[in-house]
Amino acid sequence: YGYGKSYNSFKIKDMNQQLLVLIKPDGLKKSLTGNILARLSETKLEIVAAKMVRVSRELAVEHYKHMKDKPFFEDLIKYIQGELHDRRKVMAMVYWGDNAITKVRQLAGATNPEEADPTTIRGSYGRITTKGLYENVLHTSSNELEAEREIKLWFQPEDIIVDLYPTKVIEVKMEK
Ligand code: ADP
């Protein structure tokens, strides 16, 4: 008898991550929503936020600000705003769970749909337009920093059912 050490039966370090997933206007136009959600459900990750969004130019430009100097930037903005597909909306979601970013990016496939493995979502359903833009049916955050920036850009804290990032209570004064 006495005291000794023993291992906890639970995992000490859970690599929980979260990321933003967008079903882009081409994905909606091609009726791929159910299909993409089914593919992503293979990961066993949890959806902790979801909504349809009409994307303003401001939101589009902020989301893609790292692409500002690319020759296809204006087309990219039109694309995410739905102007190329006559579908002015995207479906935005936050996926959360163990190793979420790697799992989702593996299923999504490479950015260039022609280089993407044909079994991936982009490899199956993406295309390159005659103007050279990659239409790749979904967006997925590429790392934890980008995920945090993007989730905070697309969602308010109260839209997400778990507390992903620290919040503070603020007083909002309405002008009469
Ligand atoms: P990802 O969406 O895989 O994170 P990026 O952030 O680099 O990739 O690019 C944003 C989007 O811009 C891509 O999803 C794709 O629609 C488009 N895009 C990226 N690179 C190119 C390219 N070289 N030519 C045409 N379109 C591109």
Side-chain angles (χ1 to χ4, degrees), residues 22-42:
L22 302 175
I23 302 184
K24 294 180 176 181
D26 53 328
L28 296 175
K29 180 145 189 171
K30 293 173 177 170
S31 301
L32 292 173
T33 306
N35 194 303
I36 291 171
L37 294 181
R39 294 293 299 276
L40 293 178
S41 73
E42 291 166 24

Side-chain angles (χ1 to χ4, degrees), residues 24 64 66-67 72 76 79 105 111 122 132-134 136:
K24 294 180 176 181
Y64 280 131
H66 61 292
M67 310 296 278
F72 53 83
L76 187 57
Y79 170 32
R105 285 191 76 88
T111 304
R122 286 166 164 180
L133 188 69
Y134 302 164
N136 50 16

Side-chain angles (χ1 to χ4, degrees), residues 26 30 85 113-114 122 125-130 133-136:
D26 53 328
K30 293 173 177 170
H85 298 91
E114 288 191 0
R122 286 166 164 180
Y125 306 114
R127 68 167 197 142
I128 302 181
T129 66
T130 47
L133 188 69
Y134 302 164
E135 287 186 358
N136 50 16

Side-chain angles (χ1 to χ4, degrees), residues 56-136:
S56 66
R57 183 174 169 91
E58 291 69 33
L59 176 58
V61 167
E62 186 60 27
H63 178 76
Y64 280 131
K65 67 178 180 190
H66 61 292
M67 310 296 278
K68 204 164 84 268
D69 300 323
K70 303 282 183 194
F72 53 83
F73 182 69
E74 279 304 319
D75 287 331
L76 187 57
I77 297 305
K78 280 191 194 143
Y79 170 32
I80 199 69
Q81 285 199 272
E83 285 175 31
L84 306 180
H85 298 91
D86 205 23
R87 284 283 186 292
R88 286 179 181 71
K89 57 191 171 186
V90 303
M91 186 169 177
M93 290 162 293
V94 177
Y95 276 80
W96 178 73
D98 185 50
N99 230 352
I101 295 176
T102 309
K103 283 180 182 163
V104 170
R105 285 191 76 88
Q106 265 171 6
L107 275 182
T111 304
N112 179 341
E114 288 191 0
E115 282 170 8
D117 186 291
T119 63
T120 61
I121 299 168
R122 286 166 164 180
S124 307
Y125 306 114
R127 68 167 197 142
I128 302 181
T129 66
T130 47
K131 282 184 84 181
L133 188 69
Y134 302 164
E135 287 186 358
N136 50 16

